[in-house]
Amino acid sequence: MSKAEKTKQFIIEKTATLFNTKGYGATSLSDITQATGLTKGSIYGNFENKDQVAIEVYKYNAGLVSRVMNESLGEQYSTSTEKLNAFVAFYRKNWHTVFSNGGCPLMNAATEADDSFPILKKCVQQSFTLWTERISLVIKQGQQSGELNKSVNAEEYASLFIMLIEGGILLSKTMDDEKFLNQALDKIKNIIEYELIILPL
C-alpha cells in the first residue's frame, strides 16, 4: 500500500470500535483525532468529510462480520448442518468480544440508517442482503444434497436466523444479560434440528 492508503487504513482501524460504540452520527471529528493522534488536516487530507470516514469504517466493521461468517459457513465443514451449527457456536463462544466492541455493527448502523444518512442505510441494506444470501445458500446446498428439508423456504429461514440473533444481541446488550442471546441461539438450534434436518426413518 502507498503511504496515503496506509494512513487511511490506520484511521479506519483506529476508529472502528469508536464509531460502533459511540455511534456514526455522535462520533465527532475531535473524537477521531483523539483516537488516531492525527490532526484534523490529516483526517481531511485522506477523507472528504466525517461521513466518508463513517462509511469506510462501517464497511470495515461489516467486513469483519462477513469474514467470521465465511469461516463459520466455510468448506472446512462437510455438511450444511455442521456449517449452521458452527455459525451458531461462534456467537455462543464470542459474545463477550461482540459486546466489548459495541455490539453488532450491522445492527448499530441500522438504528442510525434513516433518511438523514441514506448512504449508510444503503450500505446496511447490502450487508443484510449478503448475510441472508450466504445463509440461504448453505440451506439450499443442504436441500440439494438431501440433508435438509426441501419444503422449507431457505431465504425465510435465513432471515429468521438473522432476526433472532440480532434481537438476542440487542436485548442482551441492553439488559447486560447474555441469557437473551442464548435463548435466541437455542431457538435456532431447535429449528435446525427439528425443522431443517431430515431425520432418518
Side-chain angles (χ1 to χ4, degrees):
M1 289 192 295
S2 67
K3 184 178 179 180
E5 290 171 333
K6 288 180 180 178
T7 302
K8 289 184 73 171
Q9 189 64 24
F10 172 80
I11 295 169
I12 291 168
E13 291 180 5
K14 281 293 184 179
T15 58
T17 299
L18 170 66
F19 273 99
N20 198 44
T21 303
K22 190 170 184 178
Y24 290 85
T27 299
S28 66
L29 183 59
S30 295
D31 292 328
I32 297 172
T33 58
Q34 185 175 355
T36 60
L38 300 174
T39 64
K40 293 181 180 180
S42 182
I43 302 298
Y44 282 135
N46 289 278
F47 297 93
E48 286 184 22
N49 49 44
K50 194 203 80 172
D51 284 354
Q52 188 186 25
V53 181
I55 293 298
E56 293 304 318
V57 166
Y58 171 76
K59 290 178 180 178
Y60 173 80
N61 283 332
L64 295 178
V65 174
S66 179
R67 281 194 288 275
V68 167
M69 187 189 318
N70 288 334
E71 289 175 6
S72 298
L73 303 176
E75 297 304 319
Q76 66 268 38
Y77 301 102
S78 58
T79 68
S80 292
T81 303
E82 289 175 350
K83 292 176 182 180
L84 293 174
N85 284 328
F87 177 66
V88 172
F90 166 79
Y91 285 96
R92 186 96 65 187
K93 294 176 183 176
N94 296 282
W95 67 270
H96 292 93
T97 303
V98 174
F99 287 8
S100 66
N101 289 326
C104 175
L106 276 66
M107 179 177 64
N108 290 345
T111 61
E112 298 186 55
D114 56 18
D115 293 336
S116 65
F117 206 160
I119 299 175
L120 180 61
K121 181 177 182 178
K122 185 175 182 180
C123 289
V124 176
Q125 289 174 334
Q126 291 172 343
S127 295
F128 276 117
T129 297
L130 290 172
W131 195 0
T132 303
E133 289 174 350
R134 186 70 184 88
I135 297 173
S136 63
L137 176 61
V138 171
I139 296 174
K140 288 176 181 178
Q141 289 172 339
Q143 291 174 319
Q144 291 170 358
S145 68
E147 177 191 353
L148 301 182
N149 188 346
K150 291 184 178 181
S151 67
V152 304
N153 185 302
E155 286 83 4
E156 288 182 3
Y157 273 82
S159 297
L160 177 60
F161 289 174
I162 293 171
M163 287 186 281
L164 285 166
I165 288 172
E166 293 298 307
I169 291 174
L170 175 62
L171 274 176
S172 287
K173 191 170 184 297
T174 302
M175 303 302 292
D176 293 319
D177 192 336
E178 66 180 283
K179 75 176 183 181
F180 299 105
L181 176 58
N182 283 326
Q183 287 172 1
L185 297 175
D186 288 342
K187 181 62 177 178
I188 294 174
K189 288 276 290 183
N190 185 273
I191 291 172
I192 293 170
E193 293 176 7
Y194 294 102
E195 296 183 37
L196 293 185
I197 296 176
I198 298 177
L199 298 176
L201 297 176

